[in-house]
C-alpha cells in the first residue's frame, strides 16, 4: 500500500465527505479544504479523530500552498438554489478555484482531478449525451454561472495540460444522490424525500415529464477513484460518470411516496428557467477505459437515503 498525500477541495460537502472517507480507508493522508458554504462539520466529524485527516477552512478562490501528491477539485456549490445565491462567487469558485488548484498541481507535480458536470451539456439536443457532444448552454441565463464556470474550468484544465504537461483527469458527473445531501439544498431527491417524510406536498416543477438519471453516491466515488487511477497515464477524460437508467421526475416522486408509504400528494410548480428537459449519460467510455458502471439500483439507493433522512429529521425533532 502506498500512502499518498491527497487534497480534497470541497471535502466537507456531500460527495467530498464520502471521498475523504474512502481515501482514508485506502490508507492515504487526506487534507480536506472547505469554506463551509454548503458543506458542514457534521459531514466530517467522524473523521476528525483520524491522525491522517486534516481540515483547513479556506476559500479556493485564494491561493493555497501545501505539498500534496494528488488533488481532487470538488469545491463548488452544486444545487441550483445554492449556486444561484451568489452567482459571481460561483463563477469565481470554478474559474479562480481551478486556476489556483492547477497552479498548485503545476508547482508540486500532483495529478489533478476535476469534478465537472453534466451541466456542461446544458439543455442537450443529443440524447443520451456522449463526451464528444459540445452542449447547448445559455451563456447569460441563471444557470450560466455554474454551467459556464464548469466549462471554463475544463478549458483551463486542458490548457494547463497542453501548455505545461499537467497530469489531468476530468469526470462529468450526472445527478448523484445519497446520505449527507443537504436537506435544504433544493435538489430533487433530497427535496422529495424530506417532503414525503414530513407528509408535505411533493413539489414537481413543470409537468414532471423532464428526465434525469440518478447515481448512488458509492458508485460515483468508485468512479472518481478509478478515473484518478486511470491507466494508460495519458488518459485525461472528460469521461461521463452517472447512472444510465432514466426516470421522469414524476416517476421519481411516485416512487418516493410509495417507498415511504407517505400520505403526501403531488403539487405542480412552475418549471425553473433553462431547466434541461432530458438528461442521461452514455457511459460507454467509462466502461471501456476504467471498467466502471454503477451497481446500486435506484430502489436500493433510495432506501438507504430515506433511512438517512429519517434519522436526521428524527434527531432534529428530539
Ligand atoms: P456540495 O455543495 O455538497 O459540496 C461542495 C463543497 O464545496 C461544499 O462543502 C462547499 O462548502 C465547498 N465550497 C463551495 N465553494 C467553495 C470555495 N470557494 N472554497 C472552498 N470550498 C468551497 O455539493 P456536491 O454535490 O458534493 O458536489 C461536489 C462537486 O461535484 C461540485 O464541484 C459539483 O459541481 C460536482 N457535481 C455534483 C453533482 C451531484 O449530483 N451531486 C453533479 C454534478 C457535479
Ligand atoms: N425538481 C422538481 N422539484 C423539486 C426539485 C427539483 O421537480 O423540488 C426538478 C427540477 O426542475 C429538475 C429535476 O427535478 O428538472 C432535477 O433537479 P435538481 O435540482 O435535482 O438537479 P438538476 O436540475 O441540476 O439536474
Amino acid at each position: 500500500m502506498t500512502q499518498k498525500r491527497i487534497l480534497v477541495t470541497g471535502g466537507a460537502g456531500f460527495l467530498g465527505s464520502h471521498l475523504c472517507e474512502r481515501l482514508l480507508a485506502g490508507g492515504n493522508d487526506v487534507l480536506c479544504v472547505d469554506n463551509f458554504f454548503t458543506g458542514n462539520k457534521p459531514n466530517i466529524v467522524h473523521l476528525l479523530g483520524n491522525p491522517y485527516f486534516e481540515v483547513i477552512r479556506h476559500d479556493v478562490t485564494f491561493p493555497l500552498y501545501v505539498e500534496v501528491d494528488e488533488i481532487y477539485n470538488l469545491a463548488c456549490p452544486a444545487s441550483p438554489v445554492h449556486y444561484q445565491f451568489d452567482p459571481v462567487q460561483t463563477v469565481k469558485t470554478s474559474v479562480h478555484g481551478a486556476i489556483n488548484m492547477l497552479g498548485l498541481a503545476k508547482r508540486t507535480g500532483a495529478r489533478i482531478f476535476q469534478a465537472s458536470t453534466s451541466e456542461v451539456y446544458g439543455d442537450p439536443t443529443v440524447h443520451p449525451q456522449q463526451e464528444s457532444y459540445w452542449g447547448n448552454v445559455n451563456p447569460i441565463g441563471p444557470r450560466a454561472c455554474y454551467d459556464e464556470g464548469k466549462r471554463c474550468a475544463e478549458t483551463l484544465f486542458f490548457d494547463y495540460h497542453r501548455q505545461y504537461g499537467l497530469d489531468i483527469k476530468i469526470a462529468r458527473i450526472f445527478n448523484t444522490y445519497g446520505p449527507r445531501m443537504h436537506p435544504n439544498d433544493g435538489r430533487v431527491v433530497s427535496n422529495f424525500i424530506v417532503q414525503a417524510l414530513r407528509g408535505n406536498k411533493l413539489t414537481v416543477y413543470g409537468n414532471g415529464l423532464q428526465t434525469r438519471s440518478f447515481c448512488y453516491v458509492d458508485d460515483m466515488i468508485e468512479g472518481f477513484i478509478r478515473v484518478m487511477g486511470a491507466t494508460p497515464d495519458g488518459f485525461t477524460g472528460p469521461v461521463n460518470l452517472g447512472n444510465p437508467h432514466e426516470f421522469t421526475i414524476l416517476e421519481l416522486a411516485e416512487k418516493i411516496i410509495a417507498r415511504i408509504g407517505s400520505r403526501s400528494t403531488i403539487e405542480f410548480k412552475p418549471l425553473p428557467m433553462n431547466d434541461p428537459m432530458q438528461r442521461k449519460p452514455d457511459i460507454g467510455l467509462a466502461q471501456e477505459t476504467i471498467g466502471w458502471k454503477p451497481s446500486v439500483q435506484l430502489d436500493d439507493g433510495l432506501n438507504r437515503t430515506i433511512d438517512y433522512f429519517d434519522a436526521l429529521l428524527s434527531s432534529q425533532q428530539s
Side-chain angles (χ1 to χ4, degrees):
M1 186 175 69
T2 318
Q3 187 179 51
K4 292 190 191 126
R5 297 163 304 173
I6 305 182
L7 166 62
V8 179
T9 75
F14 161 50
L15 294 178
S17 61
H18 285 276
L19 178 62
C20 288
E21 211 171 82
R22 171 73 190 264
L23 293 170
L24 285 168
N28 297 292
D29 192 337
V30 176
L31 175 58
C32 162
V33 162
D34 206 294
N35 70 350
F36 297 105
F37 173 47
T38 51
N40 54 59
K41 288 198 179 155
N43 281 347
I44 48 168
V45 72
H46 60 296
L47 305 176
L48 292 176
N50 187 326
Y52 293 102
F53 183 66
E54 281 174 88
V55 186
I56 302 180
R57 183 190 289 266
H58 174 81
D59 185 322
V60 294
T61 62
F62 296 97
L64 177 71
Y65 290 88
V66 291
E67 306 308 315
V68 288
D69 305 306
E70 287 183 356
I71 304 167
Y72 286 85
N73 187 35
L74 272 63
C76 186
S79 106
V81 176
H82 287 141
Y83 69 64
Q84 289 170 16
F85 173 75
D86 185 350
V88 174
Q89 171 69 7
T90 301
V91 176
K92 284 187 187 169
T93 295
S94 277
V95 177
H96 294 189
I99 292 172
N100 288 329
M101 291 309 116
L102 286 160
L104 176 60
K106 183 171 163 235
R107 181 178 64 75
T108 56
R111 177 174 281 191
I112 180 164
F113 169 100
Q114 169 66 359
S116 192
T117 169
S118 54
E119 292 282 332
V120 300
Y121 301 123
D123 192 359
T125 54
V126 168
H127 196 73
Q129 293 80 53
Q130 285 189 334
E131 292 82 352
S132 55
Y133 177 52
W134 290 354
N136 177 38
V137 176
N138 175 359
I140 57 169
R143 296 174 84 102
C145 58
Y146 183 74
D147 302 7
E148 297 290 15
K150 289 284 189 179
R151 286 168 69 95
C152 185
E154 288 200 10
T155 306
L156 284 161
F157 267 67
F158 268 86
D159 284 335
Y160 271 77
H161 172 65
R162 283 187 290 253
Q163 203 170 327
Y164 303 117
L166 251 64
D167 188 2
I168 62 159
K169 310 279 174 195
I170 298 179
R172 291 183 177 155
I173 305 164
F174 284 65
N175 296 59
T176 304
Y177 69 99
R180 298 197 207 124
M181 294 183 87
H182 198 288
N184 298 325
D185 86 355
R187 277 182 279 188
V188 69
V189 174
S190 45
N191 263 14
F192 285 177
I193 291 179
V194 170
Q195 288 163 342
L197 285 170
R198 289 185 171 143
N200 295 339
K201 289 189 169 141
L202 270 64
T203 51
V204 169
Y205 301 157
N207 58 11
L209 298 182
Q210 69 271 36
T211 67
R212 294 292 187 276
S213 36
F214 301 100
C215 185
Y216 188 67
V217 59
D218 291 357
D219 283 331
M220 185 56 64
I221 299 302
E222 175 65 25
F224 287 8
I225 302 285
R226 290 197 191 198
V227 170
M228 189 59 128
T231 48
D233 276 350
F235 181 76
T236 56
V239 58
N240 289 338
L241 295 180
N243 194 312
H245 292 133
E246 189 180 6
F247 295 88
T248 68
I249 295 304
L250 208 48
E251 281 171 332
L252 179 73
E254 283 158 0
K255 212 179 236 308
I256 289 175
I257 289 176
R259 298 207 82 73
I260 292 179
S262 168
R263 58 188 155 81
S264 293
T265 54
I266 286 171
E267 177 184 35
F268 291 92
K269 297 251 194 173
L271 190 67
M273 190 178 169
N274 298 145
D275 196 276
M277 264 320 286
Q278 258 190 326
R279 189 184 286 155
K280 163 177 145 145
D282 180 323
I283 59 163
L285 183 64
Q287 282 181 282
E288 190 189 310
T289 51
I290 53 170
W292 178 87
K293 66 171 192 251
S295 63
V296 180
Q297 299 299 316
L298 184 61
D299 286 343
D300 189 18
L302 282 179
N303 284 346
R304 297 188 213 174
T305 314
I306 290 167
D307 287 347
Y308 167 79
F309 278 111
D310 198 13
L312 184 77
L313 297 185
S314 306
S315 73
Q316 286 172 349
Q317 275 161 6
S318 58

